[in-house]
């Protein structure tokens, strides 16, 4: 069985690796990822300077998934530059997530990453704050266009953008038009749907402390939106722009569904946080088992081949 996949010129042993955010911030966490069966190493979104992030509790699990308002805790871009470089011996793709607090912060970091001939790709996080009072960059199409134009001009390697979820076909169309003109190589759908609220009835309190309890939602609850965003962008984007799916993946069947919907690769966030680095081996094995049961020997035999339900006379 062959699970090999490519992202532009980059080769992956299988399509499952970590989402930026969970367990990819410190030296120890990145080393654990390197030693795991994750098919690549993607680091926590970085800023120019080190950030402590928001006060704890800032990540919690609940019955349907997770909620977080981490506030971008990271060790500063120079740390990820050094740490990723030191993991070359593990011979898997090394990807840096970049999320500057401003256009000029991104420019500074992208110039530095452009000088690294060992780095495989950059994932530019568009869920970053813009001017206060404006929506996050990914929900501001003009701002998204400018951020991508600048990133493409400064970073000559494989470049992708991490997108927030969209919920309206007009928004998909507008973003797809920007992406098709941008020169980016891939998109990653989806970042956590923002500003959910989870309440603990016993304590009559929010689950997390920052932002009066509001935070990004991950896990099982968001899988339908990850799938819809992958599916719609696969329909609207130029075929050369590849798609990484993320949102609620916790089984080989989940991986299969994302590939069917049109993803080329997938990332795991909440379930990696819950289960630890053994999850990559489990998901790759479960995908392989499912493919065997369906008599598939290669991903290309079902990738992007989702069918629409046929008509029936009875029921709703
Ligand atoms: O709080 C975070 O660090 C965070 N959490 C997410 O679920 N997605 C993200 O992209 C980030 C970093 C960016 C931001 C939400 C702090 C603006």
């Amino acid at each position: 069985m062959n699970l090999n996949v490519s992202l532009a010129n980059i080769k992956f042993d299988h399509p499952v690796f970590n989402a930026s955010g969970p367990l990819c911030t410190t030296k120890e966490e990145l080393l654990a990822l390197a030693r795991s069966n994750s098919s690549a190493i993607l680091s926590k979104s970085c800023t120019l300077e080190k950030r402590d992030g928001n006060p704890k509790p800032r990540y919690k699990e609940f019955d349907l998934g997770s909620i977080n308002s981490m506030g971008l805790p990271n060790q500063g871009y120079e740390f990820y530059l050094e740490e990723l470089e030191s993991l070359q011996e593990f011979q898997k793709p090394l990807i840096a997530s970049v999320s500057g607090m401003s256009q000029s912060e991104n420019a500074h970091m992208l110039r530095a990453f452009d000088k690294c001939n060992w780095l495989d790709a950059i994932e530019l996080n568009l869920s970053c704050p813009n001017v206060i009072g404006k929506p996050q960059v990914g929900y501001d199409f003009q701002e998204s266009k400018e951020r991508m134009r600048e990133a493409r001009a400064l970073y000559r390697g494989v470049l992708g953008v991490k997108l927030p979820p969209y919920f309206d076909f007009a928004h998909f169309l507008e973003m797809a038009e920007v992406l098709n003109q941008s020169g980016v190589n891939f998109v990653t759908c989806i970042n956590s749907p923002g500003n959910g609220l989870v309440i603990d009835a016993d304590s009559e309190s929010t689950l997390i402390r920052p932002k009066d309890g509001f935070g990004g939602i991950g896990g099982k609850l968001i899988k339908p939106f990850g799938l819809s965003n992958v599916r719609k962008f696969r329909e609207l984007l130029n075929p050369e722009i590849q798609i990484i799916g993320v949102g609620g993946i916790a089984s080989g069947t989940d991986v299969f569904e994302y590939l069917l919907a049109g993803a080329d690769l997938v990332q795991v966030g909440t379930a990696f946080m819950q289960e630890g680095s053994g999850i990559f081996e489990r998901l790759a094995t479960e995908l392989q088992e499912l493919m065997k049961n369906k008599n598939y020997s290669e991903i290309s035999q079902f990738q992007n081949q989702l069918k629409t339900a046929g008509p029936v006379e009875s029921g709703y």
Side-chain angles (χ1 to χ4, degrees), residues 126 130 134-149 163-179 182 229 233:
L126 290 189
N130 193 355
K134 276 198 175 190
Q136 58 155 290
V137 172
Y139 288 149
D140 180 334
F141 301 105
Q142 184 59 38
E143 185 72 17
S144 292
K145 186 175 180 161
E146 283 172 30
R147 298 283 178 126
M148 282 185 249
R149 183 169 48 75
L163 299 175
Y166 301 95
F167 302 98
D168 189 294
F169 286 159
H171 295 159
F172 282 112
L173 274 171
E174 204 168 344
M175 195 62 187
E177 192 167 286
V178 170
L179 290 162
S182 69
N229 277 254
F233 278 119

Side-chain angles (χ1 to χ4, degrees), residues 19-311:
S20 182
L23 306 178
C24 58
T25 302
T26 67
K27 192 184 185 75
E28 294 72 26
E29 289 167 347
L30 291 165
L31 187 60
L33 262 172
R35 291 177 171 150
S36 79
N37 198 40
S38 176
S39 67
I41 306 168
L42 170 58
S43 52
K44 168 68 182 174
S45 291
C46 63
T47 51
L48 207 50
E49 306 288 347
K50 176 183 169 24
R51 290 171 57 90
D52 291 334
N54 290 333
K56 296 173 184 174
R58 59 191 185 181
Y59 172 88
K60 285 283 180 183
E61 287 162 11
F62 60 105
D63 50 358
L64 305 171
S66 67
I67 183 165
N68 88 83
S69 182
M70 306 300 290
L72 213 35
N74 77 95
Q75 319 240 43
Y77 81 101
E78 285 168 313
F79 172 88
Y80 298 100
L81 227 139
E82 282 177 30
E83 288 306 315
L84 289 175
E85 184 174 19
S86 79
L87 298 172
Q88 282 176 93
E89 58 182 293
F90 290 91
Q91 304 208 351
K92 45 176 125 177
L94 301 170
I95 310 173
S97 171
V98 170
S99 185
M101 302 304 284
S102 65
Q103 172 104 308
S104 68
E105 263 200 33
N106 278 342
H108 188 104
M109 292 188 279
L110 290 160
R111 278 192 193 93
F113 282 118
D114 188 60
K115 296 194 176 78
C116 302
N117 56 14
W118 50 264
L119 185 68
D120 291 291
I122 282 184
E123 187 182 86
L124 182 68
N125 186 358
L126 290 189
S127 286
C128 50
N130 193 355
V131 183
I132 299 161
K134 276 198 175 190
Q136 58 155 290
V137 172
Y139 288 149
D140 180 334
F141 301 105
Q142 184 59 38
E143 185 72 17
S144 292
K145 186 175 180 161
E146 283 172 30
R147 298 283 178 126
M148 282 185 249
R149 183 169 48 75
E150 166 163 83
R152 187 64 293 176
L154 297 176
Y155 183 71
R156 290 166 292 183
V158 174
L159 174 67
V161 288
K162 174 81 166 276
L163 299 175
Y166 301 95
F167 302 98
D168 189 294
F169 286 159
H171 295 159
F172 282 112
L173 274 171
E174 204 168 344
M175 195 62 187
E177 192 167 286
V178 170
L179 290 162
N180 281 335
Q181 307 272 322
S182 69
V184 301
N185 305 101
F186 70 91
V187 302
T188 303
C189 309
I190 56 176
N191 207 324
S192 42
N195 296 314
L197 178 63
V198 184
I199 293 173
D200 176 52
D202 287 343
S203 62
E204 304 177 15
S205 165
T206 65
L207 232 49
I208 59 171
R209 175 161 182 79
K211 292 179 64 178
D212 294 327
F214 284 58
I217 304 297
K220 276 207 178 320
L221 188 53
I222 73 167
K223 196 179 75 166
F225 300 107
L227 287 171
S228 67
N229 277 254
V230 167
R231 189 78 198 125
K232 189 48 79 176
F233 278 119
R234 187 63 288 156
E235 177 189 323
L236 298 175
L237 293 180
N238 298 337
E240 63 270 20
I241 302 181
Q242 289 185 274
I243 301 182
I244 303 177
V246 46
I249 294 176
S251 72
T253 304
D254 297 331
V255 177
F256 182 77
E257 290 176 9
Y258 269 93
L259 299 175
L260 261 186
D264 295 284
L265 296 106
V266 301
Q267 300 172 348
V268 190
T270 296
F272 171 37
M273 193 72 181
Q274 291 172 327
E275 194 172 322
S277 59
I279 194 166
F280 302 105
E281 168 107 73
R282 178 172 71 77
L283 295 183
T285 305
E286 286 179 7
L287 174 63
Q288 199 152 4
E289 286 300 312
L290 185 150
M291 285 170 60
K292 205 185 293 170
N293 290 337
K294 287 174 172 281
N295 282 320
Y296 290 128
S297 55
E298 284 190 16
I299 288 170
S300 62
Q301 292 171 326
F302 58 87
Q303 198 247 344
N304 194 24
Q305 293 180 55
L306 180 66
K307 294 177 274 191
T308 299

